[in-house]
């Protein structure tokens, strides 16, 4: 594996900007004024047991700074993690865009990427059921370009006007501030039940996409339709995609809730450790390009952010690679202070009139003013552009740049007219000319009115286990809703998507299904009658392969975490052989034992456990190896260890993970829920299986065999 610390950084230009860095090595303590500190243990006081003195400027400076350490967290997307990396364009897009970083084949651009959940506070669990933010700052030679997207290609609402309502509804309820980082409560579903436009996104949010296995295994989407403009001024519409090289994978909801207790930093740790281990997360970058003249050829509106363009209609062309290769040095300075904005553009890219995007263009600068406290937030190292900033803006809180001379206006003669406007051919940004003429009006376009077709498309495209998980998610969420009328309205909405889904959910959440048939039962007041009719008479069967995670499984175990469960007496040879095979494929092996005491193997080898059966759980691993060795197996089943060992195995089994029973571990196998399953189950490997090590590796690469849930009579 590559070592991230030794990797020659491709971000050298960004590094040059980070001239405020220090690692304090070999340095003495100073105050903020650079005064060396002689005593950092005691405050200044009148006598050893006397009162502290106001004069103690060193104590006061230290405590004042401490008192002001917090800044307001992001109003949404507060919980997040980020990393540095590089974006490489492999196939020029010059035909469509003049953006320099997309048009020069082979060009590398430094980036910082921040992933996030939306609803929870900064300290909330990573495993909440939620949309994930996928925000990228490209430090291009033409200025910073921010693509502030999500891991879901559509959004809940069509107009920025509804965003505060959506966010208020999902956030903890205002009277008692419950629940944290969860949509399973009255106000969220009350709002949703009255917003049929949210139904497509609800399908995604209730699917396992909302509980990713890792940030490294999520797709990224620009969501809105954007515009590409080429050198000739020709415009194409574009949708942006990032497809993870490791495939798209999720955990089961039961795992998510348990991981939240065992390791609520699971995604943060996973990203950090992968980069430290040199398993750099990678995505293919792709575009869907739509010629201007095709704008109206779809049966939805390209400006409607609740719609995606099915890949069958416009294929995603893969043209670049995004790689994350360096962890931040300082979480606050970088990940917390980075300020994204969909309005940070470069020539060659432009906005569309998507009414959600248009509203965002106001919000992001505004929010930085309250979060970062100054219009000079662009001067914080992580936010600086590679090319130096030249303009006549001046002063303000915490100004860093020292502009020389007398001039801060334009036009001027005193400064020789500088800084002066750039012509278009010199890279000066111009907005794409567009004829706009219409009535000033507050209204939604009729072309935005079909709220159910793509919700159906998504549901139809899911594999059976994915459908089951989605149904269970809806049942979980709606069961937390205390007001029956809200549950009823939501089920009414689901009925427009899929009758079977609606009645399955209805049964579990106490809604009378027969009510759904009544003409006025649950039909939303503004629902399009055309849509309703087609739903009822002729259920749509359209589907799209790209929408199921099942179709993204890759033949790799790279960076998968395999738990080796062992105790004293373990067979050292088998452990070493399997470990080296797994590590050759770039998987990560972690040892789990009854305690953290070193484990003594049959040949005297000592293995150091990273975890004990009580400090972790199988939900934190991708697969388990019950290590060979009769004595080890016996020790794992002694009075102390038995409950932990069996819980480990049974939960891994429940979650359809690959489990490998090494030699002489039959006792564990027989005591667990796996008993009797070894020969009929592709996820269960034993030492008697053919090529058992290789079969295990294959099973791990499948991620999970969700199809087995039913046989196990134990839905995950
Ligand atoms: Fe955001 N959003 N958003 N959003 N958003 C913010 O900006 C907002 C929307 C997204 O890691 C805030 O700096 C409005 C869609 C991400 O720092 C804020 C509307 C999409 C992040 C804001 C939207 C996003 C944010 C909060 C509707 C997917 C985290 C802190 C008009 C395409 C970026 C901040 C990071 C953050 C406003 C809708 C993605 C308040 C008003 C749609 C990934 O400005």
């Amino acid at each position: 594996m590559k070592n991230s610390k030794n990797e020659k950084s491709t971000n050298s230009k960004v590094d040059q900007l980070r001239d405020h860095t220090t690692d304090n090595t070999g340095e003495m303590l100073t105050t903020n004024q650079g005064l060396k500190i002689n005593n950092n243990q005691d405050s200044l006081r009148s006598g050893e047991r006397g009162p502290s003195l106001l004069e103690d400027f060193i104590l006061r400076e230290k405590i004042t700074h401490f008192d002001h350490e917090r800044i307001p967290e992001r109003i949404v997307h507060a919980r997040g993690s980020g990393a540095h990396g590089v974006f490489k364009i492999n196939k020029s897009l010059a035909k469509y865009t003049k953006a320099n970083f997309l048009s020069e084949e082979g060009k590398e651009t430094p980036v910082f990427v921040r992933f996030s959940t939306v609803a929870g506070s900064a300290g909330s669990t990573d495993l909440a059921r939620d949309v994930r933010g996928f925000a990228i700052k490209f430090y291009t030679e033409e200025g910073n370009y921010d693509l502030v997207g999500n891991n879901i290609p559509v959004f809940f609402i069509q107009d920025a006007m509804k965003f505060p309502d959506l966010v208020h509804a999902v956030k903890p309820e205002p009277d008692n501030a419950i629940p944290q980082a969860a949509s399973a409560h009255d106000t969220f579903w009350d709002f949703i039940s009255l917003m049929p436009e949210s139904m497509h996104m609800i399908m995604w949010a209730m699917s396992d996409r909302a509980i990713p296995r890792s940030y490294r295994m999520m797709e990224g989407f620009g969501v809105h339709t954007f515009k590409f403009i080429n050198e000739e001024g020709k415009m194409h519409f574009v949708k942006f995609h990032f497809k993870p090289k490791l495939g798209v994978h999720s955990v089961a909801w039961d795992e998510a809730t348990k991981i939240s207790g065992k390791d609520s930093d699971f995604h943060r740790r996973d990203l950090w450790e992968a980069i430290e281990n040199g398993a750099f997360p990678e995505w293919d970058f792709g575009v869907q390009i739509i010629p201007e003249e095709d704008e109206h050829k779809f049966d939805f509106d390209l400006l409607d952010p609740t719609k995606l363009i099915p890949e069958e209609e416009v294929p995603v062309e893969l043209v670049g690679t995004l790689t994350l290769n360096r962890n931040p040095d300082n979480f606050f300075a970088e990940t917390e202070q980075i300020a994204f904005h969909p309005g940070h553009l470069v020539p060659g890219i432009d906005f569309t009139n998507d009414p959600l995007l248009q509203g965002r263009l106001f919000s992001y600068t505004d929010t930085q003013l309250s979060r970062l406290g100054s219009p000079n937030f662009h001067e914080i190292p992580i936010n600086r552009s590679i090319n130096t900033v030249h303009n006549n803006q001046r002063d303000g809180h915490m100004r860093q740049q020292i502009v020389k001379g007398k001039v801060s206006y334009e036009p001027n003669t005193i400064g020789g007219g500088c800084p002066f406007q750039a012509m278009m051919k010199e890279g000066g940004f111009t907005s794409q000319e567009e004829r706009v003429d219409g009535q000033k009006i507050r209204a939604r376009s009729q072309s935005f009115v079909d709220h159910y077709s793509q919700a159906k498309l998504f549901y139809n495209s899911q594999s059976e286990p994915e459908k089951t998980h989605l149904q269970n998610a809806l049942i979980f969420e709606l069961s937390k809703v205390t007001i029956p009328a809200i549950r009823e309205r939501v089920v009414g909405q689901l009925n427009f998507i899929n009758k079977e889904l609606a009645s399955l959910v209805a049964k579990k959440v106490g809604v009378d299904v027969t009510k759904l048939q009544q003409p006025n039962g649950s039909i939303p007041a503004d629902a399009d009658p055309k849509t309703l009719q087609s739903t009822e008479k002729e259920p749509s069967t359209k589907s799209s392969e790209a929408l199921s995670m099942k179709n993204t499984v890759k033949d790799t175990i790279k960076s998968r975490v395999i738990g080796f469960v062992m105790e004293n007496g373990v067979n050292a040879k088998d452990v070493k052989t399997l470990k080296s095979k797994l590590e050759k494929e770039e998987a990560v092996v972690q040892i789990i034992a009854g305690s953290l005491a070193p484990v003594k193997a049959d040949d005297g080898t000592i293995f150091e456990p990273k975890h004990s059966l009580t400090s972790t759980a199988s939900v934190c691993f991708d697969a388990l190896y019950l290590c060979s060795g009769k004595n080890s197996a016996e020790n794992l089943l002694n009075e102390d260890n038995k409950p932990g060992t069996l819980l480990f195995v049974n939960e891994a089994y429940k979650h359809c993970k690959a489990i490998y029973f090494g030699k002489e571990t039959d006792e564990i196998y027989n005591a667990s829920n796996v008993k009797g399953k070894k020969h009929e189950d592709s996820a269960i490997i034993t030492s008697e299986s053919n090529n058992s090590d290789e079969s295990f590796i294959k099973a791990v690469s499948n991620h999970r065999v969700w199809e087995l849930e039913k046989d196990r009579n134990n839905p995950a």
Side-chain angles (χ1 to χ4, degrees):
M1 283 197 195
K2 291 166 268 180
N3 182 334
S4 75
K5 290 289 177 204
N6 299 333
E7 182 82 354
K8 190 172 173 299
S9 172
T10 40
N11 301 333
S12 53
K13 285 192 181 153
V14 178
D15 290 340
Q16 281 165 24
L17 292 170
R18 308 172 78 249
D19 51 6
H20 287 60
T21 56
T22 169
D23 66 2
N24 290 328
T25 311
E27 300 291 349
M28 281 180 243
L29 271 176
T30 72
T31 66
N32 283 337
Q33 306 308 316
L35 174 72
K36 285 182 188 147
I37 294 173
N38 166 261
N39 179 343
N40 191 37
Q41 317 307 319
D42 305 299
S43 46
L44 191 68
R45 42 192 174 248
S46 158
E48 279 173 9
R49 301 183 59 254
S52 299
L53 299 178
L54 184 61
E55 181 195 317
D56 191 350
F57 63 98
I58 297 179
L59 173 72
R60 276 190 288 117
E61 183 200 78
K62 186 173 178 179
I63 296 225
T64 304
H65 197 277
F66 170 76
D67 290 345
H68 296 266
E69 270 174 11
R70 293 289 168 274
I71 60 170
E73 63 177 38
R74 288 168 174 82
I75 185 81
V76 282
H77 296 267
R79 168 80 187 172
S81 297
H84 294 271
V86 64
F87 173 79
K88 186 171 174 200
I89 190 81
N90 303 323
K91 187 172 170 234
S92 168
L93 288 173
K95 206 158 85 174
Y96 307 114
T97 175
K98 60 185 169 190
N100 179 279
F101 80 108
L102 294 174
S103 47
E104 241 181 71
E105 216 153 278
K107 191 172 187 62
E108 296 196 349
T109 302
V111 295
F112 190 90
V113 179
R114 182 174 180 273
F115 305 108
S116 46
T117 53
V118 180
S121 302
S124 58
T125 172
D126 281 342
L127 266 294
R129 171 174 297 284
D130 203 347
V131 185
R132 298 298 184 286
F134 195 122
I136 311 171
K137 193 179 280 294
F138 298 83
Y139 300 92
T140 88
E141 287 160 9
E142 297 177 296
N144 288 348
Y145 171 60
D146 292 355
L147 186 56
V148 199
N150 280 342
N151 75 328
I152 291 180
V154 290
F155 203 64
F156 291 105
I157 48 169
Q158 295 174 323
D159 192 301
M161 194 67 148
K162 298 313 298 166
F163 190 67
D165 297 299
L166 166 73
V167 174
H168 289 171
V170 74
K171 285 273 181 183
E173 296 181 10
D175 51 353
N176 56 13
I178 297 174
Q180 179 55 246
S183 51
H185 59 114
D186 286 353
T187 56
F188 178 71
W189 287 101
D190 185 24
F191 178 79
I192 292 299
S193 71
L194 300 167
M195 294 294 288
E197 70 200 54
S198 66
M199 280 303 125
H200 184 198
M201 176 78 159
I202 283 293
M203 289 294 103
W204 286 81
M206 294 301 116
S207 80
D208 290 349
R209 299 262 182 168
I211 39 173
R213 157 65 182 82
S214 157
Y215 289 139
R216 304 174 292 120
M217 299 171 201
M218 312 189 303
E219 281 177 293
F221 301 95
V223 178
H224 313 279
T225 306
F226 290 89
K227 287 177 181 172
F228 266 165
I229 323 293
N230 69 11
E231 283 292 354
E232 287 75 50
K234 167 108 180 105
M235 190 272 270
H236 285 83
F237 292 103
V238 60
K239 290 266 192 195
F240 295 118
H241 295 251
F242 291 88
K243 292 181 181 279
K245 297 238 185 179
L246 298 176
V248 189
H249 299 294
S250 290
V251 298
W253 177 239
D254 183 59
E255 284 182 274
T257 55
K258 288 170 178 157
I259 295 171
S260 291
K262 286 283 176 182
D263 184 6
S264 63
D265 302 302
F266 188 71
H267 287 154
R268 179 174 290 180
R269 192 186 311 285
D270 168 273
L271 180 66
W272 180 275
E273 287 182 353
I275 294 175
E276 287 303 293
N277 291 335
F280 299 149
E282 281 183 308
W283 287 260
D284 284 317
F285 166 69
V287 285
Q288 282 176 300
I289 303 273
I290 304 100
E292 185 171 8
E293 47 281 15
D294 289 352
E295 178 175 4
H296 300 293
K297 89 165 200 202
F298 301 94
D299 49 14
F300 53 88
D301 195 326
L302 287 182
L303 304 186
D304 175 357
T306 66
K307 305 295 183 301
L308 51 83
I309 306 180
E311 292 190 24
E312 287 74 14
E313 290 186 43
V314 180
V316 176
E317 207 186 329
L318 300 180
V319 292
T321 323
L322 171 71
T323 309
L324 299 182
N325 56 19
R326 184 160 60 93
N327 278 318
D329 291 312
N330 186 288
F331 184 91
F332 181 84
E334 301 177 275
T335 312
E336 192 57 20
Q337 292 200 116
I338 194 160
F340 292 98
H341 185 355
H344 293 163
L345 277 195
V346 289
I349 307 181
D350 212 337
F351 317 117
T352 55
N353 295 329
D354 171 342
L356 190 69
L357 173 60
Q358 296 273 318
R360 294 178 74 198
L361 298 179
F362 164 72
S363 175
Y364 288 69
T365 308
D366 188 45
T367 208
Q368 307 314 342
L369 294 177
S370 86
R371 234 169 55 75
L372 299 169
S374 156
N376 292 318
F377 64 83
H378 62 280
E379 296 192 322
I380 296 171
I382 193 70
N383 292 326
R384 288 186 201 162
S385 64
I386 290 177
N387 38 352
T388 346
V389 171
H390 299 283
N391 59 41
N392 295 311
Q393 294 169 21
R394 50 183 258 190
D395 309 345
H397 276 292
M398 303 294 172
R399 185 69 173 175
Q400 313 274 313
Q401 199 180 27
I402 300 171
V403 182
K404 296 182 189 164
K406 287 181 185 303
V407 173
S408 55
Y409 54 89
E410 193 271 350
N412 68 67
T413 56
I414 297 178
C418 299
F420 52 88
Q421 293 178 178
M423 314 245 281
M424 212 161 121
K425 63 175 191 297
E426 295 166 319
F429 179 82
T430 54
S431 292
Q432 168 73 357
E433 280 186 26
E434 181 186 353
R435 184 182 167 145
V436 178
D437 83 59
Q439 296 286 337
K440 189 193 288 178
I441 185 173
R442 275 191 201 278
R444 198 78 53 101
S445 166
Q446 270 305 302
S447 55
F448 279 38
V449 89
D450 168 12
H451 305 317
Y452 302 105
S453 299
Q454 289 209 347
K456 285 180 213 170
L457 177 78
F458 181 81
Y459 189 71
N460 290 344
S461 307
Q462 303 305 295
S463 63
E464 280 310 310
E466 284 172 310
K467 280 186 181 156
T468 310
H469 290 186
L470 196 157
Q471 291 151 8
N472 289 343
L474 281 162
I475 293 165
F476 175 90
E477 296 267 319
L478 293 180
S479 302
K480 301 276 183 179
V481 171
T482 63
I483 300 168
I486 298 177
R487 299 201 292 264
E488 216 170 273
R489 279 202 304 273
V490 176
V491 173
Q493 292 288 345
L494 298 177
N495 202 40
F496 297 132
I497 299 170
N498 184 294
K499 282 189 180 310
E500 198 197 12
L501 168 68
S503 49
L504 274 166
V505 175
K507 226 179 283 166
K508 292 282 187 175
V509 303
V511 168
D512 179 357
V513 208
T514 54
K515 271 197 177 172
L516 301 175
Q517 314 308 335
Q518 291 170 11
N520 297 324
S522 317
I523 297 173
D526 67 342
D528 173 25
K530 282 204 300 291
T531 318
L532 298 185
Q533 277 167 18
S534 69
T535 312
E536 284 170 357
K537 287 193 184 136
E538 195 188 312
S540 161
T541 51
K542 271 197 199 162
S543 66
S544 166
E545 275 189 15
L547 302 183
S548 166
M549 288 190 282
K550 187 167 189 268
N551 301 323
T552 72
V553 175
K554 304 276 190 285
D555 191 16
T556 174
I557 62 165
K558 188 175 173 180
S559 79
R560 290 311 183 116
V561 186
I562 323 288
F564 273 35
V565 186
M566 64 169 69
E567 252 306 328
N568 288 330
V570 68
N571 178 328
K573 187 166 158 267
D574 278 13
V575 167
K576 287 178 192 165
T577 310
L578 183 62
K579 184 167 182 283
S580 80
K581 285 186 188 173
L582 292 169
E583 287 178 346
K584 202 165 148 238
E585 308 261 340
E586 300 187 43
V588 177
V589 169
Q590 295 185 355
I591 294 176
I592 306 146
S595 74
L596 290 184
V599 175
K600 201 165 173 197
D602 53 357
D603 67 355
T605 307
I606 298 291
F607 293 112
E608 297 288 346
K610 184 173 166 77
H611 311 275
S612 76
L613 288 168
T614 28
S615 70
T616 188
S618 81
V619 291
C620 299
F621 299 85
D622 290 299
L624 293 188
Y625 171 48
L626 279 304
C627 300
S628 301
K630 193 168 170 40
N631 289 342
S632 167
E634 273 171 16
N635 286 328
L636 283 169
L637 289 180
N638 71 21
E639 207 179 306
D640 251 11
N641 296 331
K642 188 172 179 180
T645 303
L646 294 183
L647 184 65
F648 241 84
V649 176
N650 292 342
E651 278 195 342
Y653 177 67
K654 173 177 178 173
H655 301 134
C656 307
K657 293 177 184 174
I659 310 177
Y660 183 180
F661 288 91
K663 286 179 212 129
E664 301 177 305
T665 57
D666 278 12
E667 267 187 72
I668 301 178
Y669 170 82
N670 285 327
S672 74
N673 294 350
V674 188
K675 187 177 174 186
K677 293 285 180 189
K678 56 180 146 185
H679 298 301
E680 53 208 68
D681 194 328
S682 54
I684 308 297
I685 315 292
T686 69
S687 53
E688 298 141 31
S689 314
N690 287 342
N691 292 327
S692 48
D693 289 359
E694 286 63 34
S695 306
F696 180 57
I697 290 171
K698 178 74 204 143
V700 178
S701 74
N702 287 337
H703 181 59
R704 312 290 164 78
V705 191
W706 294 125
E707 286 74 12
L708 298 171
E709 270 172 338
K710 280 202 179 125
D711 303 346
R712 290 169 185 192
N713 231 351
N714 209 357

